[in-house]
Amino acid sequence: MDSKMQVISSLIKKELAFMMSSKKWNLGILGLFYMVEGIPYGIHEKFLPTFLRSRGHSYSSVTLMSGLQFPWIIKGLWAPFIEILGGHMQWLCLSLILLGMSCLAACIISLNKLQELSMVLLTMSIFVAILDVCVDSIVLKTFPEEELTVANSVQVVLYKVGMWVGGTALLVILEYLSWNMSFILLAILYFSTAAVATIHGASTPQDSKELQKHENRKERNASLVSIVQDILKIPGTKTLIGYLLLCKVGEKGAVTMLPLLLMDKGMSIQSLAFWNGTVCQSLSIMGSFMGGRLVVKNKLDLIKKLSFYERLRTFIVLAQFIFVTCWDIYEPVYSTNFVFHGIGILSLCALNYVGGVITVLIFTLMMMSSKMGPLEAQSSHLNVMASVEIIGKLMFGMYTGSLVDTVGFPTGFAVFWCSSFLSDFVGKKLMEV
C-alpha cells in the first residue's frame, strides 16, 4: 500500500511539474502577479482622487497624495540588491505576504484620519514596488525574446484589470460592504497569491547554471557606481531617459484633473465611477491588447508606430484644452452641463484607449533596449528605465492640483498639451540613436 501511494504521489508531482512548466501556465501566473500588483496603483490613481475630492479636499491635497508612490521611483536601485540578497521568487512571496498584512492594517484605521490612511498606502507602495522588481526580472528570465510581446501584452492588460479592481470596483464595493470587509477580501487575495507563488516556485526546477551565476553575483559585491556604468553603456539609454521623463506627463495631468472637473460640475460619483472607471479602463485595456497585437519588425519600426500614437494623443489633449476653455467661457450662458459631461467623457475614452496602446509600446521599447545590454545588466536597466518613467509622471502629477488651483483649468490643460507635444518631439529623437 505504501509503495502504491508513493508511486501515485510521484506521478502527481511529475504532472504538476509538467503543467507548471508550460507556456500557458507561466502566462497565467504572470497575469495573476501583475493583476494583484495593479490594485494598489488603482487605489492611488482612481479611488483616492475621487474619494478625497468628494469629501471636500482641494485639488492640491488630492494630487499631492500621489507622492505616496515615491517608493516606485527608487525601485530601480533595489533591483540589483534583491538579486544579491536572495532569489526573486523568495522576495516575491515575501512582498505578497506583506501586502496582505498591509490590507489587514487598513481594516483598523479610520477613513477620516488622512495621516493613518497615508501610512498604510505608503507601506503598500513599498511592498508593491519590490513585487514589481521581482515580477519584471522573472519575465526577463522565463520568456525568450520572441515571446516577450505576448508576455508584455498579458502584463499590461492584467495590470490594468488590477487597477480597475483597486479603483472603480472598490468605489462600487464600498456602496455595499464596509471598508473593513473590502480590505479583508484584498488581504485574502494577496495571501492566496503568495500561496500560489510558493507552490509555483517550489515546482519550477532551477537551472544549475542560474544558481551558480547567482552565487557569483553575491561574491562580486557589485557597487552602485558599477551598476550605473553598465546601464549607461547600453546604446540609446540617455535619450531614452529623456523621453521616459516626458512620455506620460501630459496624459497623466489630463486623466487626473478632467474627471475631478466633471465631478465638480455636477456629475455624480456613481456615473463618474462607471464612465471614467469601468468604460475608460476597459478601453485602456483594449488599447493595450491592440498594442500587443501590432506587428513590430524591429526597434526602429516600434519607434515609428509609437510616434504615430504620440501625435494622436497630443491632438486629443489639445482638443481637451479647447473643450475646457469653452466650458469655462460658456457655462454661465448655458446652464445645461450634460452636453459638456458627454464631450468630456468622450475625450477621456479616446485618451485612455490611445494611452493603452502607448503604454505597451513604451514597455516593449524598454525591454528591447534592455536586451541590447549584457545579461547581468538587463534586469537593472529595465527597472531603472521603469523608475524614470514613473519619476516623470509622479513628480508632475503631484503638482497638477496646485497648478490648477493657481492658474485655473484652461491654463492647466495648455500646460498638459505642451508637455504632450514635447514628449512627441523627444520621442522622434530616438530614431536617430
Side-chain angles (χ1 to χ4, degrees), residues 1-54:
M1 182 66 69
D2 290 340
S3 61
K4 287 184 179 180
M5 291 299 295
Q6 287 177 358
V7 170
I8 293 172
S9 177
S10 176
L11 288 173
I12 291 173
K13 286 180 180 179
K14 286 181 180 180
E15 189 66 27
L16 280 172
F18 173 77
M19 182 182 68
M20 293 183 178
S21 63
S22 66
K23 178 182 174 181
K24 289 184 178 179
W25 174 264
N26 285 332
L27 284 173
I29 293 294
L30 169 68
L32 176 62
F33 291 159
Y34 276 115
M35 189 198 73
V36 297
E37 183 186 320
I39 292 174
Y41 192 74
I43 294 174
H44 281 285
E45 294 297 306
K46 298 292 184 180
F47 169 77
L48 205 57
T50 304
F51 175 77
L52 293 178
R53 186 61 186 168
S54 67

Side-chain angles (χ1 to χ4, degrees), residues 136-296:
D136 285 347
S137 300
I138 290 170
V139 170
L140 282 174
K141 291 180 179 180
T142 303
F143 295 93
E145 189 168 355
E146 62 270 16
E147 294 179 6
L148 279 179
T149 304
V150 177
N152 189 39
S153 181
V154 170
Q155 170 208 350
V156 176
V157 169
L158 270 296
Y159 185 87
K160 289 183 176 180
V161 170
M163 283 182 62
W164 177 83
V165 172
T168 306
L170 185 58
L171 282 170
V172 174
I173 288 171
L174 286 177
E175 295 288 326
Y176 303 97
L177 297 178
S178 66
W179 171 269
N180 295 351
M181 183 57 66
S182 300
F183 272 81
I184 287 173
L185 293 176
L186 284 179
I188 293 172
L189 175 61
Y190 280 115
F191 290 139
S192 301
T193 307
V196 171
T198 302
I199 296 170
H200 179 65
S203 303
T204 305
Q206 288 185 286
D207 189 9
S208 59
K209 291 182 179 179
E210 287 293 322
L211 291 173
Q212 183 62 40
K213 188 167 67 175
H214 177 66
E215 292 300 322
N216 292 339
R217 198 173 287 122
K218 279 185 177 181
E219 295 172 3
R220 189 177 64 183
N221 290 326
S223 66
L224 183 60
V225 175
S226 65
I227 293 167
V228 173
Q229 288 175 343
D230 287 343
I231 290 171
L232 293 178
K233 285 179 183 177
I234 297 177
T237 294
K238 294 179 182 177
T239 307
L240 182 60
I241 287 174
Y243 170 70
L244 291 174
L245 284 170
L246 295 167
C247 66
K248 285 287 185 176
V249 167
E251 179 188 335
K252 167 72 174 177
V255 299
T256 299
M257 298 312 302
L258 188 54
L260 298 182
L261 174 64
L262 292 173
M263 186 169 65
D264 285 352
K265 297 295 186 180
M267 181 172 279
S268 67
I269 294 178
Q270 290 76 15
S271 296
L272 192 62
F274 173 73
W275 288 107
N276 183 50
T278 302
V279 176
C280 286
Q281 194 67 16
S282 298
L283 287 168
S284 180
I285 292 170
M286 189 185 301
S288 297
F289 177 76
M290 295 305 296
R293 292 179 63 86
L294 288 175
V295 178
V296 177

